[in-house]
Amino acid sequence: MKRILLPWLGFALVLLAAPLVFPQSASLSLLSQMGTMVLLCLSYNMLLGEGGMLSFGHAVYSGLGAFGAIHLMNRMAEGAVSFPVTLVPLAGGLSGALCGVVLGYLTTRRAGTTFSMITLGLVELVSSCVLMFPELFGGEGGISGNRVIGEPLLGVSYGPQIQVYYLIAGWLLVCAVAICALRHTPLGRILNAVRDNPERAAFIGYDPQRVRYLALILSAFFAGVAGGLSAINFEIVSAEYVGALRSGTILLFTFIGGTAYFYGPIVGGVVGVLFSSWLSAYTQAWQFYLGAFFILIVMTTPGGLASLIDRGMHLLRSGRFGWRMTGWLAAWLLAALLALAGIVLATEMAYQASLGSLVDTGAGAASLLLWGQAVDVHAPLSWLGALLLVAAGVSGLLALHRQGERR
């Protein structure tokens, strides 16, 4: 029991202490986005990691749940409905589950590639419908609302961002515990069996389509909860919430974290939001780095970042992490940083040169400020320096890899 409770207590303490360590308003907004994205990735992994269902339309359920939540908030503001703001995400979850009941019956009738293609068509269909019915979905501008409704309860009005963060953190903790518990229920176990061998699951009396259908409804519920939290956080819901881009983002972040581990989507959600929000403040080519990072993870570590964490913990527990291993790891990090520095330098120079050729032909287009230094993007010496950094880093990584194999 202690081994089960300690990780959850640690997770709760991290959620509780995060705004105390990062009290700035921008940091609180970033933490709130992380919370909703982590819940989205956890709900998506119920399909992909537990059920082997590669969906390209998971944003449909979170987006429609967000629309349901924002409509409820507007009815509450008008006085037509009396409902606590704290439970608005529950309404989003019920909206997502209802959509899962209707749409999941069609999508789960097939598995594998056919299921993926149906979900891809579904997300395009729903995105078109959202724009076709502006009176219900607000068109391209979306629907806005106000989360500060009625008199504050115990001083909580959800006006300050820190109150919104703790609302998201509370729902995230409850939903994460529920998702983890569902993995150990008979439904969760038979879902794993359907993923591994649907023929054998059918042979012992379980309908694979029904199992996938129930799993999708539950996944849609938690995705709808995340959508409701997003509606409260941003106070606006637009057509982008149900688009293919958001579905792809959820898929990308879940893969980066690792689908084989329960905490993989948590890691992926945090890292993904850092990439999209924090890195985008420093470079306009952040999507290139995100795509390159995803390819690197898939090619070198199919288990995601969670598998790297698991290997590191295994080494620490085994007692093999000595001074020799520490030196090898330090050398590996140095070589990786050299290669990364060369790739970043080449990418930023190429991006700046392309912008300069499009918008300006003067001397200013050739100027790039990187790491506090001015770099001439047209100078051969700059490109040679980037090439040498990449060559040195890659050579070091290959040499260390061969050394590791000999051990």
Side-chain angles (χ1 to χ4, degrees):
M1 179 64 70
K2 184 182 294 185
R3 292 182 62 183
I4 297 175
L5 290 179
L6 282 178
W8 288 111
L9 288 175
F11 185 48
L13 287 175
V14 169
L15 293 176
L16 186 66
L20 304 179
V21 179
F22 305 101
Q24 300 84 1
S25 58
S27 300
L28 291 174
S29 178
L30 191 64
L31 289 172
S32 300
Q33 294 178 53
M34 287 181 183
T36 54
M37 182 54 69
V38 164
L39 182 52
L40 269 175
C41 293
L42 283 171
S43 67
Y44 181 72
N45 204 45
M46 294 179 65
L47 299 179
L48 182 60
E50 302 298 325
M53 293 181 280
L54 178 61
S55 173
F56 293 119
H58 196 64
V60 167
Y61 307 109
S62 65
L64 293 178
F67 275 111
I70 202 76
H71 278 298
L72 176 61
M73 290 168 59
N74 289 335
R75 299 293 83 77
M76 292 163 56
E78 295 169 359
V81 179
S82 178
F83 198 78
V85 178
T86 306
L87 298 181
V88 165
L90 180 62
L94 294 175
S95 300
L98 180 61
C99 296
V101 169
V102 177
L103 302 176
Y105 183 77
L106 300 174
T107 57
T108 57
R109 295 184 68 85
R110 295 291 184 270
T113 305
T114 307
F115 170 81
S116 301
M117 293 300 101
I118 293 174
T119 58
L120 182 60
L122 180 66
V123 72
E124 296 296 339
L125 177 66
V126 173
S127 299
S128 300
C129 290
V130 166
L131 297 176
M132 289 169 59
F133 300 100
E135 63 278 357
L136 183 61
F137 298 105
E140 294 183 357
I143 299 175
S144 59
N146 185 5
R147 65 185 182 225
V148 183
I149 304 169
E151 295 296 325
L153 179 63
L154 300 178
V156 178
S157 64
Y158 295 114
Q161 184 64 38
I162 190 169
Q163 295 180 3
V164 177
Y165 164 78
Y166 278 121
L167 174 68
I168 294 173
W171 274 101
L172 172 59
L173 181 61
V174 171
C175 291
V177 171
I179 293 172
C180 184
L182 282 170
R183 298 173 71 236
H184 302 285
T185 61
L187 175 61
R189 296 305 188 188
I190 199 63
L191 180 62
N192 296 154
V194 169
R195 174 198 63 195
D196 297 334
N197 198 321
E199 290 81 8
R200 287 192 176 185
F203 183 77
I204 62 175
Y206 291 95
D207 184 1
Q209 188 271 332
R210 183 175 296 180
V211 173
R212 291 193 296 264
Y213 183 40
L214 292 174
L216 189 140
I217 293 172
L218 292 171
S219 175
F221 170 79
F222 292 112
V225 171
L229 292 171
S230 295
I232 294 175
N233 185 33
F234 293 108
E235 299 179 294
I236 186 171
V237 181
S238 64
E240 296 178 355
Y241 276 64
V242 297
L245 180 61
R246 187 167 176 82
S247 293
T249 300
I250 299 169
L251 169 62
L252 200 72
F253 293 173
T254 306
F255 256 111
I256 287 174
T259 59
Y261 300 84
F262 176 76
Y263 63 90
I266 299 176
V267 177
V270 172
V271 172
V273 171
L274 283 176
F275 258 107
S276 57
S277 298
W278 178 68
L279 190 61
S280 61
Y282 294 93
T283 174
Q284 298 182 42
W286 65 271
Q287 290 179 318
F288 171 84
Y289 297 116
L290 178 60
F293 183 62
F294 173 72
I295 295 173
L296 181 66
I297 289 293
V298 172
M299 292 183 63
T300 61
T301 314
L305 296 175
S307 66
L308 293 178
I309 297 174
D310 187 66
R311 292 176 195 172
M313 296 300 295
H314 179 71
L315 282 174
L316 288 175
R317 287 193 296 266
S318 65
R320 291 185 295 169
F321 198 83
W323 287 107
R324 181 176 296 181
M325 180 64 69
T326 304
W328 184 90
L329 182 60
W332 188 92
L333 288 175
L334 178 60
L337 286 175
L338 286 175
L340 180 62
I343 292 172
V344 169
L345 179 59
T347 302
E348 294 299 323
M349 287 194 301
Y351 191 82
Q352 183 69 18
S354 65
L355 288 181
S357 62
L358 289 174
V359 301
D360 185 15
T361 59
S367 177
L368 170 66
L369 187 63
L370 189 65
W371 302 313
Q373 302 292 325
V375 179
D376 186 356
V377 300
H378 296 309
L381 191 60
S382 301
W383 290 95
L384 179 61
L387 180 62
L388 290 176
L389 285 173
V390 173
V394 171
S395 300
L397 290 174
L398 291 175
L400 289 168
H401 178 69
R402 288 193 295 269
Q403 181 183 353
E405 287 183 341
R406 286 196 298 269
R407 291 182 182 178

